[in-house]
Amino acid sequence: MSTMIDILSEPAILVALIALIGLIAQKKGIADTVKGTTKTFVGFLVIAAGAGILSGSLTPFGSMFEEAFNVSGVVPNNEAVVALALTDYGTTTALIMFFGMIVNILIARFTRYKYIFLTGHHTLYLACMLAVIMAVAGFNTFGLIAAGSVALGIVMTLSPAILQPFMRQLTGNDNVALGHFSAVGYAASGLVGKLFKGSKETSTENIKFPNGLGFLRDSTVSIALTMIVMYLIVAFFAGPTFIEAELSGGTNFLVFSLIQAGTFAAGVFVILSGVRLVLAEIVPAFKGISTKLVPNAKPALDVPIIFTYAPNAVLIGFFASFLGGIASMVAMIFLGGVIILPGVVPHFFTGAAAGVFGNATGGFKGSVAGAFVNGIIISFLPVFLMPVLGDLGFANTTFSDADFGVSGIFFGSLANYGGPIAITISLAVIILLMIIPGKKKNNNQSQQSKVG
């Protein structure tokens, strides 16, 4: 069982297998098949390495921030909360994940929602959350796995679907979708961006710097310098005693901060390199899946795939989302109750993406405003999610991204107020609604074909 979790939750292996199947379905030669599969595999490992570098440099920043401003509360972190839950729900999580992926493929095959979700670790996280919620609802083991699998397959399909109009606007085509469970926040950012009616001239990528600051047009340079300033400011507030005793292992606090800021920029550079490698291979390989198994299917890939479209918006979105998190934290302090601290890692990845989508629809102002709204969304949703997670809701961490909050609150509320019957009826209704439009569309298409 643990082997199945390892395979299905590892994006590099999962997507490489998909590429292999697609290339074989297209009857490509051995050389092309080996090349496409290997480059896809390596590309995702490069992205994962970059994400690891980023997370490693952001973790001490979060600790420094808490120490500098003397705040404490719940820090949303998917990895942390899943690690706690898997001790009790490991087997059911693995089965929900496996069958949920099958449900996702079946929905893509027989409805108009042609999205195959390929971000394995996010699938694992959501499967884990659903295992907890279905257990709280009172399902027996079989019902828990069945209901959790169908719910997972539905969210895996609808999450990229609601975001695809913005993906088309961003990429200029319909070849790829975004597979990252924060689509609600990204779509909100895109909608907020529309209020500003952005254009190419107002894009974050066309910010006009004075001649003497022309070096800032290089995204690696601008990211490194910006993060250096941020780290040094927070380091001064946190103080050398805390940093050198708790984080740097005795290294001077300014030197440590400088290295972490540079490491952050290096992580972004590595991610962008991996994205270019993957997109060059996975989209052509996926045509085999589209042609043979699921006609017109689109691969829904992890969030870094969009970072290359607006590298400046990535950094702007991160800061704007983090500010949204800080504003939300201050509001919670005044309101009383649970205080959600702004987790630096979720605010970077979701804020960066929200900034990119806000920029696509509203330029610089859309990027800032859209990402700020995303920061508020991922701060307040956990407040309402925690009560429906049973004992796990009392942990000092919780799920961070928007889709976890929306789907968790939806199914968790059904569990609390209607139990297994309410969840079963809701799942049946959702599946029916997804199927009916697809059948109508197919009928219309067939009639048009006959007329033609």
Side-chain angles (χ1 to χ4, degrees):
M1 190 63 66
S2 62
T3 301
M4 183 168 68
I5 292 179
D6 290 343
I7 291 174
L8 295 180
S9 62
E10 183 53 66
I13 296 177
L14 183 63
V15 178
L17 287 173
I18 294 294
L20 176 62
I21 293 170
L23 291 166
I24 291 174
Q26 293 180 80
K27 298 180 180 178
K28 293 287 186 180
I30 294 177
D32 288 338
T33 301
V34 171
K35 181 185 116 177
T37 303
T38 304
K39 289 181 83 171
T40 301
F41 177 64
V42 171
F44 260 84
L45 289 177
V46 171
I47 293 173
I53 293 171
L54 276 178
S55 297
S57 68
L58 288 173
T59 299
F61 184 86
S63 301
M64 289 159 59
F65 180 86
E66 291 181 40
E67 175 68 19
F69 301 104
N70 193 28
V71 291
S72 60
V74 176
V75 181
N77 183 285
N78 294 327
E79 289 78 8
V81 71
V82 167
L84 292 173
L86 284 179
T87 56
D88 294 325
Y89 299 95
T91 301
T92 49
T93 294
L95 292 171
I96 288 174
M97 183 177 181
F98 177 75
F99 290 111
M101 294 174 75
I102 293 176
V103 172
N104 175 217
I105 293 171
L106 290 174
I107 292 174
R109 177 67 180 84
F110 295 107
T111 76
R112 63 191 174 99
Y113 299 97
K114 305 295 184 182
Y115 306 97
I116 297 181
F117 196 96
L118 295 176
T119 307
H121 62 291
H122 257 219
T123 307
L124 170 67
Y125 300 159
L126 187 57
C128 184
M129 186 187 76
L130 290 171
V132 174
I133 289 174
M134 298 308 169
V136 171
F139 279 100
N140 59 29
T141 302
F142 175 80
L144 186 155
I145 294 168
S149 300
V150 174
L152 178 60
I154 289 172
V155 180
M156 289 171 74
T157 307
L158 292 182
S159 177
I162 65 172
L163 199 58
Q164 195 60 15
F166 299 101
M167 279 294 288
R168 281 193 292 269
Q169 183 169 349
L170 175 66
T171 64
N173 58 58
D174 208 22
N175 295 334
V176 68
L178 187 62
H180 194 256
F181 288 134
S182 204
V184 170
Y186 304 152
S189 180
L191 291 173
V192 169
K194 286 186 175 182
L195 300 176
F196 298 93
K197 298 179 181 178
S199 64
K200 289 184 178 179
E201 288 71 29
T202 63
S203 170
T204 57
E205 309 314 296
N206 290 327
I207 296 175
K208 297 188 182 301
F209 297 101
N211 291 334
L213 298 177
F215 58 87
L216 291 175
R217 293 190 185 94
D218 186 311
S219 61
T220 302
V221 174
S222 60
I223 288 172
L225 293 178
T226 305
M227 291 306 295
I228 286 172
V229 172
M230 287 293 297
Y231 264 96
L232 292 180
I233 291 173
V234 175
F236 275 115
F237 278 99
T241 303
F242 170 77
I243 294 173
E244 292 171 14
E246 302 293 333
L247 300 175
S248 71
T251 301
N252 179 274
F253 77 112
L254 295 179
V255 173
F256 175 76
S257 300
L258 187 67
I259 294 299
Q260 295 305 315
T263 302
F264 178 94
V268 174
F269 182 84
V270 171
I271 284 177
L272 297 182
S273 301
V275 167
R276 295 185 188 100
L277 184 60
V278 168
L279 288 181
E281 299 297 330
I282 188 63
V283 173
F286 207 80
K287 289 180 180 177
I289 301 289
S290 300
T291 304
K292 302 291 183 180
L293 303 178
V294 183
N296 302 314
K298 298 174 185 63
L301 303 174
D302 202 359
V303 69
I305 64 164
I306 68 167
F307 289 176
T308 54
Y309 291 96
N312 289 341
V314 166
L315 193 61
I316 291 168
F318 166 41
F319 288 138
S321 182
F322 193 69
L323 287 174
I326 293 174
S328 300
M329 178 187 71
V330 172
M332 291 174 196
I333 291 173
F334 282 103
L335 292 172
V338 176
I339 297 174
I340 302 295
L341 299 184
V344 182
V345 173
H347 276 288
F348 172 73
F349 285 103
T350 70
V356 172
F357 284 113
N359 177 64
T361 58
F364 174 81
K365 292 180 181 178
S367 180
V368 173
F372 186 84
V373 168
N374 173 79
I376 294 173
I377 289 172
I378 68 170
S379 298
F380 277 97
L381 280 177
V383 174
F384 301 100
L385 174 63
M386 291 172 70
V388 305
L389 293 178
D391 292 339
L392 196 65
F394 297 100
N396 61 353
T397 186
T398 189
F399 293 92
S400 59
D401 298 358
D403 294 358
F404 291 103
V406 172
S407 57
I409 293 167
F410 176 73
F411 289 114
S413 299
L414 289 174
N416 286 340
Y417 296 107
I421 293 176
I423 291 177
T424 302
I425 293 173
S426 297
L427 291 174
V429 169
I430 294 171
I431 289 290
L432 186 62
L433 291 174
M434 295 176 78
I435 291 173
I436 290 175
K439 285 184 176 179
K440 288 180 179 179
K441 185 176 180 181
N442 290 336
N443 289 336
N444 291 338
Q445 285 178 336
S446 60
Q447 288 172 3
Q448 288 171 1
S449 303
K450 290 176 183 176
V451 172

